[in-house]
């Protein structure tokens, strides 16, 4: 069970001061009422989160403490007082807010369960129906908050709690002048995106404890359907519309209505019959997101073009009737030129991708021509499940391996071809450019074999080191209708390493996901 306090999803060890003077202890009773039972964790601002007992009402509570109190705790206490006035089944109840000058604390409802962040870390991305249900609950909670004129300001997977009884609650409002109703609504899109993909799409969180979304050269996150199979198109559109600031954000109540409609459709397993997105605004009229009108026009235009082309080909077919056609037995499929092992599109994988177990005998180092192959044998450290071990590269005088070679990588050789989803790479520092490449065979663990791999393998993804601000990267590009057996994770650019004379990075973990 993990409870979180106020604050965004930044890593706790990079946060502000941790409570030291006047630090609480197990068994201590605060305000002659709240007995501290267990220190759960520290949130991103250095506040301590405790599980406690209200000795008067004999109920479990969560206690969030910060040091010092006084003026520095005013924002936290004001947000707690405001939140206490909103009663809703999808909002964590706030019971008390106390300032002792040396320290201040907020007492709130204890939710027996786990955060969405921890749920995804343990189980991976959720199925669309469950993701919709969670986002629906969060939007419903925000509708209640916004109806009072308040802003929550702290909606993310760490403050979205999933109770053991299935209840979804939003915790720890933290609004300040920079927060807005629109930001709350777009954060629901972030929660939905995270539930579907396991990645956080909002860049304003900064160096986040959550895995960053896969992004294009402009910094835009890849759509959920590009990351995993089985995400319905209407849900993909809704998620990306909420994240796209060019598309007007709906009111929380309109988003709740739409998610409620989708939630009901998911319960009845009628995904294909939900129809177009429709945000019902407070005026009672149905409207489409700002981007829907161009989509409809584009669709109508496409139908007109198809009709014209069909008419032309129909006339030609009539004119050719009775004449032998030498090419009538030729077939050009969607998989023309595909890698051997590709399946028919009807066999595309369904469901959530799973982590594929990798062992030391399934990986090896590939060194581009010009390399000395000194790292042979270190690939095993990237798949041993231990983040403290790593393939430690040598350092170079420039980011492009000192101009000596194109790069280095780890070749994964699966026992048999299978459908793949993505590759997840953990490095010792941000800024490394990494791509994935696939081929038909391993020509051998030798200089000539490596040279042949780099010549013949097909690159599926590109990575710009300037855009890689995190040390966790997710690489996509696999065709869901194909199966792959040989995958090369290839580093093409190194980050500056302040601990060495030049450019260097360690590859700590490589994980492969598929179906």
């Amino acid at each position: 069970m993990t409870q979180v306090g106020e604050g965004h999803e930044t890593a706790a060890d990079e946060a502000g001061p941790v409570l030291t003077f006047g630090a609480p202890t197990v068994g201590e009773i605060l305000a002659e009422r709240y007995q501290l039972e267990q220190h759960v964790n520290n949130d991103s601002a250095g506040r301590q989160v405790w599980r406690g007992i209200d000795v008067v009402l004999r109920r479990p509570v969560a206690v969030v403490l910060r040091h010092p109190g006084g003026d520095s705790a005013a924002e936290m206490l004001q947000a707690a007082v405001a939140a206490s006035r909103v009663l809703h089944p999808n909002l964590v109840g706030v019971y008390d807010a106390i300032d002792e000058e040396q320290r201040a604390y907020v007492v709130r409802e204890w939710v027996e369960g786990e955060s969405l962040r921890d749920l995804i870390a343990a189980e991976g991305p959720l199925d669309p129906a469950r993701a919709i249900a969670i986002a629906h609950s969060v939007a419903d909670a925000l509708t209640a908050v916004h109806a009072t004129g308040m802003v929550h300001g702290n909606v993310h997977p760490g403050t979205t709690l999933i109770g053991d009884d299935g209840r979804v609650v939003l915790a720890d409002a933290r609004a300040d002048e920079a927060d807005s109703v629109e930001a709350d609504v777009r954060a629901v899109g972030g929660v939905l995106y995270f539930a579907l993909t396991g990645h956080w799409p909002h860049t304003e969180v900064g160096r986040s404890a959550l895995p960053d979304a896969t992004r294009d050269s402009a910094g835009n996150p890849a759509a959920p359907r590009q990351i995993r199979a089985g995400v319905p198109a209407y849900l993909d559109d809704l998620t990306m519309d909420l994240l796209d600031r060019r598309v007007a954000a709906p009111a929380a109540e309109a988003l709740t209505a739409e998610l409620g409609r989708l939630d009901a459709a998911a319960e009845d397993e009628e995904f294909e019959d939900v129809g177009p997105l429709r945000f019902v605004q407070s005026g009672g009229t149905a409207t489409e997101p700002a981007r829907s009108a161009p989509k409809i026009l584009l669709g109508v235009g496409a139908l007109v073009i198809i009709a014209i082309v069909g008419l032309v080909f129909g006339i030609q077919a009539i004119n050719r009737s009775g004449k032998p056609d030498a090419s009538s037995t030729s077939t050009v499929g969607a998989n023309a030129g595909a890698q051997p092992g590709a399946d028919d599109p009807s066999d595309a994988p369904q469901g959530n991708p799973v982590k594929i177990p990798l062992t030391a005998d399934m990986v090896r180092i590939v060194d581009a021509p010009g390399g000395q192959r000194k790292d042979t044998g270190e690939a095993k450290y990237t798949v041993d499940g231990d983040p403290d071990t790593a393939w430690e590269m040598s350092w170079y005088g420039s980011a492009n391996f000192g101009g000596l070679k194109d790069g280095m990588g780890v070749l994964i050789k699966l026992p048999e071809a299978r459908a793949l989803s993505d590759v997840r790479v953990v490095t010792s520092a941000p800024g490394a450019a990494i791509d994935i490449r696939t081929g038909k065979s391993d020509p051998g663990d030798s200089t000539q074999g490596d040279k042949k791999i780099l010549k013949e393998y097909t690159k599926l993804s590109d990575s710009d080191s300037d855009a890689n601000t995190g040390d966790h990267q997710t690489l996509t590009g696999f065709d869901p209708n194909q199966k792959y057996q040989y995958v090369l994770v290839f580093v093409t650019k190194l980050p500056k390493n302040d601990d060495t004379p030049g450019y260097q990075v360690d590859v700590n973990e490589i994980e492969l996901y598929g179906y």
Side-chain angles (χ1 to χ4, degrees):
M1 171 65 221
T2 299
Q3 297 268 332
V4 296
E6 297 85 344
H8 285 305
E9 281 294 308
T10 48
D13 58 0
E14 297 176 1
V18 175
L19 197 66
T20 54
F21 179 75
T25 57
V26 174
E28 181 180 356
I29 298 180
L30 306 179
E32 300 181 349
R33 180 169 183 173
Y34 307 110
Q35 181 171 316
L36 301 180
E37 297 286 314
Q38 179 187 10
H39 176 213
V40 178
N41 63 11
N42 290 350
D43 76 0
S44 63
R47 292 172 282 241
Q48 290 191 2
V49 184
W50 286 72
R51 178 175 59 82
I53 296 291
D54 182 337
V55 298
V56 175
L57 298 179
R58 305 305 303 170
R59 65 180 176 184
V61 294
V63 182
V64 183
L65 300 103
R66 70 157 293 148
H67 166 77
D71 292 341
S72 63
E75 181 184 314
M76 178 185 82
L77 297 172
Q78 289 169 3
V81 170
S84 69
R85 300 176 183 144
V86 186
L87 301 179
H88 191 277
N90 297 120
L91 283 171
V92 166
V94 178
Y95 303 145
D96 214 339
I98 299 172
D99 184 6
E100 295 180 348
E101 293 299 330
Q102 292 181 350
R103 64 186 180 185
Y105 43 92
V106 171
V107 182
R108 63 166 170 81
E109 174 187 3
W110 174 266
V111 179
E112 200 66 48
E114 61 186 335
S115 68
L116 177 62
R117 174 193 60 202
D118 294 335
L119 176 65
I120 297 297
E123 300 182 10
L126 306 181
D127 64 79
R130 193 174 186 192
I132 290 170
I134 290 173
H136 181 206
S137 296
V138 173
D140 202 13
L142 289 176
T143 298
V145 172
H146 294 173
T148 68
M150 292 170 48
V151 174
H152 189 279
N154 198 25
V155 181
H156 57 72
T159 55
T160 303
L161 306 182
I162 318 297
D164 290 341
D165 59 357
R167 176 181 168 223
V168 178
V169 289
L170 187 59
D172 302 321
R174 187 211 51 82
D176 58 30
E177 294 181 357
D179 295 311
S180 65
V181 168
E182 178 182 347
D184 276 355
V185 171
R186 295 202 185 279
V188 178
V191 168
L192 190 54
Y193 188 97
F194 182 79
L196 292 169
T197 69
H199 296 269
W200 185 242
H202 290 300
T203 56
E204 65 268 21
V205 174
R207 188 174 175 81
S208 172
L210 299 173
D212 188 25
T214 301
R215 301 181 185 276
D216 60 22
S217 58
N220 300 312
R225 282 166 64 89
Q226 294 177 292
I227 297 175
R228 57 176 291 202
V231 177
Y234 71 88
L235 186 57
D236 189 82
D237 284 345
L238 172 60
T239 304
M240 297 309 290
D241 279 347
L242 289 172
L243 298 177
D244 190 345
R245 296 189 180 278
R246 297 170 299 178
V247 178
E253 60 185 293
L255 179 58
T256 300
E258 175 62 15
L259 288 169
R261 187 175 73 92
L262 302 184
D263 199 0
E267 290 180 1
D268 297 333
E269 298 184 348
E270 297 178 351
F271 282 128
E272 301 304 324
D273 300 325
V274 294
L277 303 178
R278 56 190 186 203
F279 290 129
V280 181
Q281 305 291 354
S282 56
T285 58
T287 61
E288 294 287 337
R291 200 165 58 186
S292 296
K295 289 179 180 177
I296 294 174
L297 293 176
L298 182 61
V300 172
L303 290 175
V304 172
I305 293 174
I306 291 173
I308 295 173
V309 172
L311 179 61
V312 172
F313 276 93
I315 294 173
Q316 291 179 347
I318 293 174
N319 291 336
R320 290 199 305 266
S321 61
K323 298 180 182 180
D325 187 351
S327 63
S328 61
T329 59
S330 300
T331 302
V332 180
N335 288 333
Q339 180 182 166
D343 284 346
D344 184 87
S346 61
D347 295 329
Q350 300 295 324
N352 297 331
V354 297
K355 182 179 176 181
I356 299 174
L358 299 177
T359 56
D361 61 334
M362 297 165 61
V363 294
R364 74 172 183 85
I365 300 296
V366 170
D367 202 347
Q372 299 179 3
R373 296 178 51 81
K374 296 188 297 183
D375 295 347
T376 298
E378 293 205 19
K380 62 185 179 183
Y381 298 119
T382 67
V383 296
D384 61 2
D386 184 354
D388 293 329
T389 62
W391 165 28
E392 300 179 0
M393 292 189 185
S394 301
W395 65 269
Y396 296 83
S398 62
N400 63 341
F401 289 84
L404 301 174
K405 54 188 175 183
D406 294 333
M408 301 180 70
V410 174
L411 176 63
I412 301 172
K413 300 174 287 185
L414 297 175
E416 59 184 18
R418 62 186 296 174
L420 301 178
S421 167
D422 58 85
V423 176
R424 304 176 191 182
V425 185
V426 179
T427 56
S428 59
I434 307 174
D435 62 55
I436 51 176
R437 310 178 185 196
T438 63
K440 303 176 182 178
S441 65
D442 178 7
D445 189 0
S446 64
T447 299
Q448 290 302 316
D450 291 355
K451 183 177 181 180
K452 189 172 183 181
I453 283 176
L454 294 175
K455 180 180 179 181
E456 298 180 354
Y457 273 38
T458 301
K459 184 187 297 185
L460 300 186
S461 69
D462 289 292
S463 176
D464 182 355
S465 63
D466 294 334
N468 298 330
T469 58
D471 49 16
H472 289 61
Q473 295 188 40
T474 298
L475 309 174
T476 60
F478 295 106
D479 186 338
N481 298 316
Q482 294 191 36
K483 292 184 177 180
Y484 303 84
Q485 186 172 6
Y486 298 90
V487 177
L488 175 62
V489 182
F490 199 62
V491 182
T492 59
K493 190 177 294 185
L494 301 170
K496 184 72 173 69
N497 190 325
D498 295 333
D499 296 329
T500 69
Y503 295 78
Q504 187 270 345
V505 75
D506 297 340
V507 180
N508 297 73
E509 289 294 317
I510 294 177
E511 296 179 347
L512 182 63
Y513 285 76
Y515 304 91

